[in-house]
Amino acid sequence: MITPEVSKIIVSKFKPILQDIVENKCFTTFAFIDSLPDYPCQYWQFTLDFFDEYDFVFSQNCGYFRSEGRLKNSGLGIGQFFSGNDKLMEEFSYLTKLGRFARLTTIFKETEHLTGLKYIMISVNSYLQGGCEWLRSVCEESLFILHVHESQNDAIDIGCMQSQRFQIKLANNNEISFLKIPFDKIIYFKDVERVEPDTRLPYFPYEVALSFAGEDRLYVYAVATALRARKIRVFYDDYEKVSLWGKDLYTHLNEVYSKNAKFCVLFISRHYREKVWTNHERKSAQARAFEEKREYILPARIDDTEIPGLNKTVGYIDCSKISPQELANLIIDKINSAN
């Protein structure tokens, strides 16, 4: 058991280093404070978290910090709150790579020896001071943890705890506004519509859906792998084995190719024309393209086979003249150009 006296000793070792980092080593201007700010603003808290081999033991407050500059957020804006946290995460990640937190390793090890506990880390959480209870509930987020690197005992590692951001469209008194917030905060809002990040387009579960015959899988797999490596939301059947298990595939695939993707790439070949399922996917995609009257189908030709309903004048990519990685880059460019 850690006594109050031991707890004070531990905090007294960490605090000066944390204060020096936030006030002198950061690129953003911060002030380290021992108590909560007394005016409306956004602030962050350092917390020491202690774990034994099996479970959490206890936490100890290790100070706060706030910004007097671009991250102050004195207007208590929700969008500004989460964008400020994103900026802080980027900055602290970069500082970690620069070794600015390396001095903490010695203190971590001394604390482990002093307490006999196996795991000790510093968590950073963000809050608002001021505003109503609902606003403070929305603007509360766990950002990251700092701990000794598992394979480099003289270095500090940083682990992100932030939830994935969604952009939502809000309608209030005939006024439209947009917010980019963590997905778990959407429950605080009514009558919202999810839209594409940084755009006003509808949100699609997939940025691109790939439609192909099994005989052409080798090329398409390489395209899908390259897209996934670049964090593109891609519908490729092998990535969906669990979600497809037990579903009515006729209905589900119609939803995917007619509603759930921003673009659809058809890998045209003689095998593609002969397959029942690829023709079903093609018809669903063509119905979507006809309804929206915009670029949706992106043809990629593996051979010169003609496909019903696909106009010969539609621009296409010749897969025999381009690598899968190059095609993936073109698809990404197309997605980005639509934002």
Side-chain angles (χ1 to χ4, degrees), residues 7 23 55 65 84 113 125 151 197 226 232 236-237 264 310 330 332:
S7 178
E23 292 187 340
D55 205 358
F65 63 102
H113 178 74
N125 303 297
S151 59
I232 296 298
Y236 172 69
D237 59 358
C264 175
L310 190 63
L330 291 177
I332 294 170

Side-chain angles (χ1 to χ4, degrees), residues 106-173:
T106 301
I107 311 301
F108 273 122
K109 292 175 183 177
E110 290 177 354
T111 303
E112 289 174 2
H113 178 74
L114 181 65
T115 62
L117 295 175
K118 191 173 182 63
Y119 304 108
I120 300 171
M121 59 188 64
I122 296 172
S123 60
V124 176
N125 303 297
S126 183
Y127 307 93
L128 282 185
Q129 176 71 316
C132 64
E133 183 178 349
W134 175 86
L135 180 63
R136 291 194 300 274
S137 297
V138 175
C139 295
E140 178 179 302
E141 184 174 33
S142 298
L143 300 186
F144 51 87
I145 56 175
L146 298 164
H147 57 91
V148 177
H149 199 287
E150 292 183 1
S151 59
Q152 302 175 32
N153 284 333
D154 59 344
I156 294 294
D157 195 14
I158 187 169
C160 179
M161 296 191 294
Q162 292 174 284
S163 295
Q164 181 183 359
R165 293 342 192 193
F166 285 177
Q167 181 157 291
I168 60 173
K169 178 181 178 181
L170 301 168
N172 185 25
N173 296 326

Side-chain angles (χ1 to χ4, degrees), residues 24 30 62 131 169 173 217 245 249 253 286 300-301 330:
N24 301 315
F30 291 114
C62 208
K169 178 181 178 181
N173 296 326
R217 180 177 295 278
W245 191 10
L249 293 183
L253 293 176
Q286 286 175 330
R301 287 193 173 275
L330 291 177

Side-chain angles (χ1 to χ4, degrees), residues 82-93:
F82 292 109
S83 66
N85 286 343
D86 291 343
K87 292 182 178 67
L88 184 73
M89 181 69 208
E90 291 175 4
E91 183 163 336
F92 271 51
S93 295

Side-chain angles (χ1 to χ4, degrees), residues 216-236:
D216 304 316
R217 180 177 295 278
L218 188 61
Y219 185 95
V220 179
Y221 169 75
V223 175
T225 301
L227 290 170
R228 201 178 199 187
R230 296 279 295 277
K231 310 300 183 184
I232 296 298
R233 302 191 305 274
V234 54
F235 180 86
Y236 172 69

